[in-house]
Amino acid sequence: MAHFIFIDESGDPGKPFEIDAAGNKVPTGASLYYILCGIFLDTKQLMQLEFRIMEVKNQFGYKKEIKSNEVSLSLYKALLGLINEIGIKIYYCTVNKMTYKGKFAVDGNNDLGNVFDEYNIAKLVELTTKREKAENVEVVIDRADRRIHNGNFESFNCYIKKKSNTKTIKRVENVVHVNSEYVNSMQVSDLVGGALRDYFNGKNKDLKKIINKTNLYKIF
């Protein structure tokens, strides 16, 4: 049976502070947290999720794209509940930029456009597929122009495959970049990312708790 990983992020890959001439930290407006979510599911679960999302949206009379910062709290909770209902696994990582010591960008890298962003996505894919012992996975990533390197996504796609695949195991079959407006499952990934963001920044601790612990895995 085919498997999929739908990946979306909450926050951005930018530096939260710059240092001015006097040595002071100056906020850049970038988020303090960067969160990546990967929804791992098989073909049957994908079909169930797509069907149930439309049912729940119709129950609430909601016609627009699902976004964590726009939907009502009651709709938000109902949609998160589908993860438990269908038994979907969520793999995620959280980077606190206030304590992060790595690089946000590296000039002259031949494989990546935005090193911080793309390295973490590739790492999430690698660890998720290894833990699931999955092969020939279709990776679906929310489209972002910052990931276009040398005019296209191909170098990034190759980087993901190189990180995950070996000479004998093809964990990743294909990588595609999509507009989340047209992919309901990607929108659920956005909701999970928003719930995790609100949990870690203290805005709302309850949304994360809706997802059963057995369905939620912090992978790094």
Side-chain angles (χ1 to χ4, degrees):
M1 184 177 292
H3 289 88
F4 304 83
I5 304 175
F6 290 85
I7 298 175
D8 198 4
E9 80 266 5
S10 179
D12 58 74
K15 295 179 181 180
F17 296 99
E18 295 285 359
I19 305 299
D20 64 16
N24 300 312
K25 285 186 176 181
V26 180
T28 63
S31 64
L32 296 182
Y33 287 94
Y34 175 81
I35 298 169
L36 277 175
C37 292
I39 293 182
F40 182 85
L41 67 180
D42 60 31
T43 304
K44 181 179 179 181
Q45 290 172 316
L46 177 59
M47 294 175 65
Q48 288 178 310
L49 182 61
E50 290 287 328
F51 177 75
R52 291 290 288 123
I53 287 172
M54 294 308 300
E55 278 196 331
V56 172
K57 286 180 68 175
N58 288 336
Q59 289 171 8
F60 281 81
Y62 197 82
K63 304 298 183 184
K64 300 189 299 181
E65 177 184 0
I66 302 165
K67 286 185 174 294
S68 61
N69 59 350
E70 294 181 2
V71 299
S72 67
L73 188 59
S74 56
L75 176 55
Y76 205 141
K77 291 179 177 180
L79 290 167
L80 287 178
L82 297 180
I83 294 167
N84 306 327
E85 175 187 320
I86 300 171
I88 296 168
K89 294 181 180 179
I90 307 293
Y91 289 92
Y92 75 95
C93 72
T94 303
V95 178
N96 183 342
K97 296 185 197 172
M98 296 294 290
T99 58
Y100 174 70
K101 301 300 183 182
K103 296 181 178 180
F104 285 91
V106 177
D107 293 333
N109 189 294
N110 292 325
D111 293 324
L112 305 177
N114 187 302
V115 171
F116 174 83
D117 182 43
E118 296 174 18
Y119 168 79
N120 282 294
I121 290 175
K123 187 175 180 181
L124 179 68
V125 172
E126 177 190 10
L127 295 178
T128 299
T129 53
K130 280 184 177 179
R131 179 171 293 191
E132 289 292 331
K133 296 181 173 60
E135 297 184 24
N136 303 313
V137 173
E138 178 97 2
V139 178
V140 186
I141 305 173
D142 188 29
R143 183 183 179 93
D145 288 344
R146 65 173 177 271
R147 299 182 188 128
I148 298 176
H149 189 47
N150 295 328
N152 58 57
F153 290 105
E154 190 56 34
S155 61
F156 179 35
N157 296 348
C158 290
Y159 175 72
I160 289 176
K161 293 178 183 179
K162 184 169 66 176
K163 290 281 289 183
S164 297
N165 297 341
T166 70
K167 291 182 179 180
T168 58
I169 304 174
K170 182 186 284 188
R171 295 189 176 93
V172 175
E173 174 70 29
N174 194 32
V175 182
V176 295
H177 301 256
V178 301
N179 185 333
S180 62
E181 180 180 357
Y182 307 107
V183 184
N184 287 328
S185 298
M186 185 68 74
Q187 295 170 31
V188 173
S189 185
D190 173 78
L191 292 180
V192 176
L196 292 169
R197 175 198 64 219
D198 288 352
Y199 177 85
F200 288 110
N201 66 22
K203 181 179 178 182
N204 187 330
K205 295 280 189 176
D206 294 330
L207 288 171
K208 176 178 177 288
K209 296 177 182 177
I210 293 173
I211 306 171
N212 291 339
K213 292 181 179 180
T214 54
N215 298 104
L216 194 60
Y217 302 89
K218 184 174 182 180
I219 200 160
F220 68 93

